[in-house]
Structure formats: C-alpha cells, structure tokens
Amino acid sequence: MLITFSDFTSIPVLWLQIAIAAIWVLLILLIAWVVNRFADKPEIVRKIVHIGTGNVILIAWWLDIPASVGITASILASAITLLSYRLPILPGINSVGRQSLGTFFYSVSFGILVAWFWYLQQPQYAALGILVMTWGDGLAALIGQRFGKHKYKVFGTEKSWEGSLTMMLVSYVVSSLILVGTQGNSWQTWTVSLLVAVIATGLEAVSFLGIDNLTVPLGSAALAFFLSQLVLS
C-alpha cells in the first residue's frame, strides 16, 4: 500500500518525535550489535553506544521533545542498565574488564540534565553536558588506549596525558560550538568554553567506578550555565 505524506501528518507530533529519537537509538544499537557480533572489541562497542546514543540529545533539542519523554527514557534506561549488571542483557556494553557503574550513571545524567534545563528552557546546556561526556570522554578513552604512552595515576586509576589532552580539546570544541551558536561570538563565550573544558578534564581524571559519566556532564552543564549567567547578564 502506498504511504503518502498525509499519512504522516495524521500522526500526533509527539509520537513522531519519539519515533525519530527511537530510530536513531536503535540504529546505534544495531551498529554496536554488528560490531560485537563480528569483532571481539568490547571497548569499541561501548564507545559506539556511548558516543552514538548521546547524540540523541541533539534530536531532543531540535524537535523540542517534552522533558517528560526524556526523563521517562532515562528512568527506563537506568533500570535496564542496573539489571544488565546481573543479567546478560547488555554484555557488549558492560564487559569492560573492570568494575564500573558508568552505563548506569550515563542514563541518570541524561534524565537529570533534561529535567533541569528543559524546565529552565535552556536545553543548550543539557546538550553541552551530554556531548562533552559522550564525545570528550569517549574519544579520550579511545585515544588514550591507542596512543597513550605517558601515564599518570589518580586514586589508583591509570590515565594518560594523551587521553586527557584529547578530553580537553574535544570538550572545548563541543562547548564552543554550542555556546557560540546560542550566545554569539564573544571573548566571554570562548573563555567560558575553555573553563568548562578544563574542569571537565579534571573531573574525568579523578573519576572512579565510572562516576565521570555523572560528574562530567553535570559539572560541565552547571559550570557553563552559571558562568554564562554571570558574564553575559
């Protein structure tokens, strides 16, 4: 049967919004499943999901998806990830060879930021926090593992200067793109972005048990928001 444009326009807007976001997440999970199925690289699988699903915040921002949808999705994802630590629901995501609650904190941070900044009608800060975590932390881990030759330890956790520098650079780029795009090109905006990048890198460096998936997004978003209110008001 031929599907026409009028068929889509008859669908409630909310369900179209949810469908678009869900299709994106399912696409990322499918890609991760394929990689996990044909390549024994669990860390790559985790980063595909980590980076890919985080970008759904841009879809939520662009489509102005209600906060209730994001919060509900966060609660469901948090529950599933907690179960996955006991049951083999997400083996490719949670098999990291170390004790970590990172996947759970990832889901929780999404819900907190949506609840916070959608309420304030400032969704750009939620996007900033999530994307600093997804792109900054995600690429830092990959670069650090592949090219990290200069190691250091914080609270018994080994890091690399190469990974930390990647975290800072990517966080700065992400923060700058969002803040310049929403607040305009000014020295204050670039300065706030730099401070966010430095603090996000510090929070990632002192993390343990995957808590950086909570402290980095919340810390980055909060710092960007309060500094922007201070210097741009």
Side-chain angles (χ1 to χ4, degrees), residues 61 122-125 175-185 189:
W61 180 15
Q122 300 283 349
Q124 67 269 26
Y125 296 108
S175 300
S176 298
L177 288 173
I178 292 176
L179 294 181
V180 170
T182 57
Q183 299 174 359
N185 184 8
T189 299

Side-chain angles (χ1 to χ4, degrees), residues 161-190:
W161 287 108
E162 291 83 355
S164 293
L165 288 174
T166 299
M167 175 70 183
M168 185 178 296
L169 177 61
V170 175
S171 298
Y172 181 65
V173 171
V174 167
S175 300
S176 298
L177 288 173
I178 292 176
L179 294 181
V180 170
T182 57
Q183 299 174 359
N185 184 8
S186 67
W187 69 267
Q188 293 97 329
T189 299
W190 295 103

Side-chain angles (χ1 to χ4, degrees), residues 47-196:
K47 295 312 174 186
I48 289 174
V49 176
H50 183 88
I51 295 174
T53 56
N55 289 300
V56 77
I57 192 69
L58 293 175
I59 296 175
W61 180 15
W62 174 48
L63 297 178
D64 194 24
I65 293 177
S68 58
V69 174
I71 295 169
T72 300
S74 171
I75 293 172
L76 291 175
S78 299
I80 291 172
T81 54
L82 282 179
L83 285 174
S84 73
Y85 291 112
R86 293 291 183 180
L87 303 173
I89 301 174
L90 304 170
I93 297 176
N94 289 325
S95 301
V96 296
R98 64 182 185 274
Q99 187 179 13
S100 173
L101 292 172
T103 310
F104 171 70
F105 289 136
Y106 183 104
S107 303
V108 171
S109 65
F110 197 101
I112 292 174
L113 288 176
V114 168
W116 183 0
F117 291 108
W118 254 247
Y119 173 76
L120 295 177
Q121 297 185 339
Q122 300 283 349
Q124 67 269 26
Y125 296 108
L128 184 149
I130 294 296
L131 294 181
V132 163
M133 173 184 63
T134 55
W135 285 98
D137 182 56
L139 292 179
L142 292 176
I143 295 298
Q145 291 172 11
R146 179 66 178 85
F147 302 104
K149 306 299 183 183
H150 303 86
K151 307 291 186 179
Y152 67 94
K153 284 190 175 182
V154 179
F155 298 137
T157 302
E158 188 174 78
K159 303 285 184 176
S160 73
W161 287 108
E162 291 83 355
S164 293
L165 288 174
T166 299
M167 175 70 183
M168 185 178 296
L169 177 61
V170 175
S171 298
Y172 181 65
V173 171
V174 167
S175 300
S176 298
L177 288 173
I178 292 176
L179 294 181
V180 170
T182 57
Q183 299 174 359
N185 184 8
S186 67
W187 69 267
Q188 293 97 329
T189 299
W190 295 103
T191 302
V192 170
S193 298
L194 178 59
L195 292 174
V196 168

Side-chain angles (χ1 to χ4, degrees), residues 105 109 200 203-204 206-207 210-221:
F105 289 136
S109 65
L203 291 172
E204 193 278 333
V206 301
S207 65
I211 200 171
D212 54 320
N213 280 353
L214 185 66
T215 59
V216 168
L218 297 186
S220 300

